[in-house]
Amino acid sequence: MTETATNTSRLSKIRSYLKRFITFFGPALIVSIAYMDPGNYGTDIQGGASFGYSLLWVVWLSGVMAMLIQYLSGKLGIATEQSLAENIRQKLGRKLFIIPYWLGSEVIAAATDLAEYLGTVVALNLLFGVPLIYASIFGAADVIIILGLASRRFRLLEQILLLVVSVISLGYIYEMFIAKPDLYSILSVSFVPHLVNSNALFVAVGIIGATVMPHAIFLHSGLTKEKALGKTLDERRKMRKMHLVETIILLSIASMINAAILIMAAVAFYPENSQIQSIAEAYRTLIPIFGAAAGVIFLVTLLASGIASSAVGTLAGQMIMEGFLGKKFNIWLRRIITRFINVIPTTIAILLGLDPLHILVYSQFALSMLIPIAVIPLVILTMNKKLMGEFANRKVTTTIACVFVGIILTFNFFSLINTS
């Protein structure tokens, strides 16, 4: 075979792979939005403002844990052609066990959507001067509008979310350019676990809760399941490889954005303004330091994050309900209920004068406590050779996953002791 023929063959294989990858592309993109939601803004701003760069190692650790856990979730959908919720329902068997597990998972969806909804409300208030009480009402319609536009073409939703990821990424490239962080300090703390006090532990648990998202774990398996339905074993083998590549790329981007939020907060607020008490205060403090453009970009990325992650959270809630109950529900009814459930507590919180930043941090702390509901059964199911066949975890994969679960449980345990 000539060199020209060899090059032509390689190009043909690359084109074929890219075509298959583009066809498959989407599940990790949608899930990655959950890792850039307003909950991450809340915990990362709190972490950077209060402790400088010192919690960066938690961001990187959380990102690595998220990659493996989301990979296992997507692989479960490809191998079984069922979502995580459907698999758990089959294993539990009786409604006596299924209903409480479903309700616990719905609490996850509600807590997640609360953070996303709050991000939208705060961004509308600060960007356009809409009073918080009215912003809480206007913000209720965002997810319904987006999912309505994409209801007939799911690919359109993926394209909208790709645009959102691009907006957030470009926004934080600009923020890093003007912040000019200390690279040596960043590297020195990125790989050295260190917690200065119990408050740092609380924020670290919040960062983990904001990064390893339980609702995204349920969602990823449902999205890959839809791609795998009716596919041959060979096709699903190829899908698993593409799923791995997509997950690593998209969640690496999400981890870098989370790190950028914390770094920006550390540069702008630590230690002189370490007692930042609200997102509004963070925004107003940014402007004299980095300029008006930096403040506006911060709010634009927050608004994009809030709206997009709300859509993702609603999809996750829908998959949780249908997976555990084994029934199809009216998609619009689910969307409206999910959104308006959070209007009530958010409106009450605003009327009581509670700050959204504190609500964001506490909601992410609660999410971290609920991670085991999704992660523990996921690890057990994906190591089951009878269920997974050749897609079952290797021993080293299961070992690393168990270590990650142990880290999450240990953080939660010590945090509960220190806050009780």
Side-chain angles (χ1 to χ4, degrees):
M1 185 181 288
T2 65
E3 186 178 342
T4 303
T6 302
N7 290 336
T8 302
S9 177
R10 286 175 182 169
L11 285 172
S12 178
K13 287 179 180 179
I14 292 171
R15 286 195 197 100
S16 177
Y17 177 81
L18 288 174
K19 186 177 179 180
R20 291 197 308 272
F21 185 78
I22 290 169
T23 301
F24 175 79
F25 185 77
L29 168 67
I30 293 172
V31 166
S32 72
I33 293 293
Y35 291 86
M36 302 176 236
D37 77 341
N40 292 92
Y41 278 71
T43 53
D44 291 336
I45 288 171
Q46 192 84 56
S50 301
F51 307 105
Y53 299 133
S54 67
L55 293 182
L56 262 178
W57 67 272
V58 182
V59 175
W60 299 126
L61 175 63
S62 300
V64 172
M65 291 195 293
M67 283 181 207
L68 176 61
I69 291 167
Q70 292 300 153
Y71 166 69
L72 295 182
S73 175
K75 187 175 71 166
L76 179 69
I78 292 169
T80 65
E81 298 184 25
Q82 289 186 315
S83 69
L84 175 59
E86 289 172 317
N87 275 289
I88 293 174
R89 173 170 57 84
Q90 288 187 353
K91 292 296 180 183
L92 292 176
R94 298 170 59 188
K95 287 186 177 179
L96 179 65
F97 304 119
I98 293 170
I99 298 300
Y101 215 103
W102 165 59
L103 292 174
S105 302
E106 288 289 356
V107 170
I108 289 172
T112 302
D113 193 59
L114 175 60
E116 292 152 356
Y117 174 54
L118 275 170
T120 305
V121 169
V122 172
L124 285 172
N125 168 250
L126 295 175
L127 258 182
F128 305 110
V130 180
L132 279 174
I133 193 67
Y134 296 122
S136 67
I137 298 169
F138 296 153
D142 59 358
V143 68
I144 298 171
I145 293 169
I146 285 184
L147 292 175
L149 289 171
S151 59
R152 294 186 180 180
R153 283 186 58 219
F154 197 77
R155 203 66 175 174
L156 176 60
L157 175 62
E158 293 172 347
Q159 291 164 354
I160 292 171
L161 296 182
L162 180 60
L163 176 62
V164 169
V165 172
S166 301
V167 167
I168 296 173
S169 300
L170 290 172
Y172 274 94
I173 288 173
Y174 174 79
E175 299 282 13
M176 287 299 96
F177 177 75
I178 61 170
K180 295 180 174 60
D182 183 344
L183 295 180
Y184 176 77
S185 297
I186 289 170
L187 290 173
S188 65
V189 299
S190 287
F191 308 102
V192 182
H194 174 64
L195 294 169
V196 296
N197 54 38
S198 60
N199 289 332
L201 175 61
F202 178 82
V203 176
V205 171
I207 290 172
I208 292 173
T211 307
V212 185
M213 302 292 280
H215 77 297
I217 299 170
F218 281 109
L219 177 62
H220 210 156
S221 59
L223 294 172
T224 54
K225 159 201 159 181
E226 296 298 329
K227 299 277 187 179
L229 286 173
K231 295 293 190 296
T232 65
L233 180 60
D234 186 56
E235 286 174 322
R236 286 188 286 131
R237 286 179 186 137
K238 292 175 182 176
M239 286 177 67
R240 185 200 64 79
K241 292 178 182 178
M242 290 185 286
H243 160 61
L244 175 61
V245 172
E246 187 196 21
T247 300
I248 291 173
I249 292 172
L250 269 300
L251 292 193
S252 293
I253 293 171
S255 294
M256 287 187 281
I257 289 171
N258 284 324
I261 296 170
L262 188 145
I263 290 167
M264 185 199 68
V267 173
F269 311 133
Y270 183 81
E272 290 83 1
N273 299 292
S274 61
Q275 299 303 312
I276 291 291
Q277 296 296 312
S278 69
I279 290 178
E281 191 178 343
Y283 161 67
R284 294 187 185 104
T285 307
L286 272 179
I287 293 174
I289 298 173
F290 296 138
V296 171
I297 288 171
F298 168 71
L299 292 181
V300 168
T301 60
L302 178 63
L303 181 61
S305 164
I307 294 173
S309 56
S310 290
V312 171
T314 303
L315 285 176
Q318 187 177 323
M319 287 189 180
I320 288 170
M321 178 183 280
E322 293 180 353
F324 276 110
L325 300 185
K327 298 176 182 178
K328 290 285 184 183
F329 290 87
N330 182 287
I331 192 169
W332 284 104
L333 179 63
R334 170 71 208 197
R335 289 168 184 173
I336 292 169
I337 289 173
T338 302
R339 173 48 78 208
F340 280 96
I341 279 174
N342 280 322
V343 172
I344 298 170
T346 305
T347 304
I348 291 172
I350 290 168
L351 290 172
L352 291 174
L354 300 178
D355 187 81
L357 179 61
H358 293 147
I359 300 173
L360 282 174
V361 174
Y362 278 96
S363 71
Q364 301 315 294
F365 178 83
L367 275 176
S368 187
M369 297 295 143
L370 295 168
I371 290 172
I373 289 179
V375 173
I376 292 175
L378 175 66
V379 174
I380 293 171
L381 288 166
T382 52
M383 64 186 286
N384 186 333
K385 290 185 178 179
K386 186 177 179 181
L387 175 70
M388 299 287 289
E390 66 178 65
F391 295 97
N393 297 343
R394 295 177 182 178
K395 287 184 180 179
V396 65
T397 305
T398 299
T399 301
I400 295 171
C402 288
V403 169
F404 285 168
V405 172
I407 290 171
I408 293 168
L409 293 177
T410 302
F411 264 85
N412 290 352
F413 175 73
F414 282 106
S415 186
L416 282 173
I417 289 176
N418 280 282
T419 53
S420 62

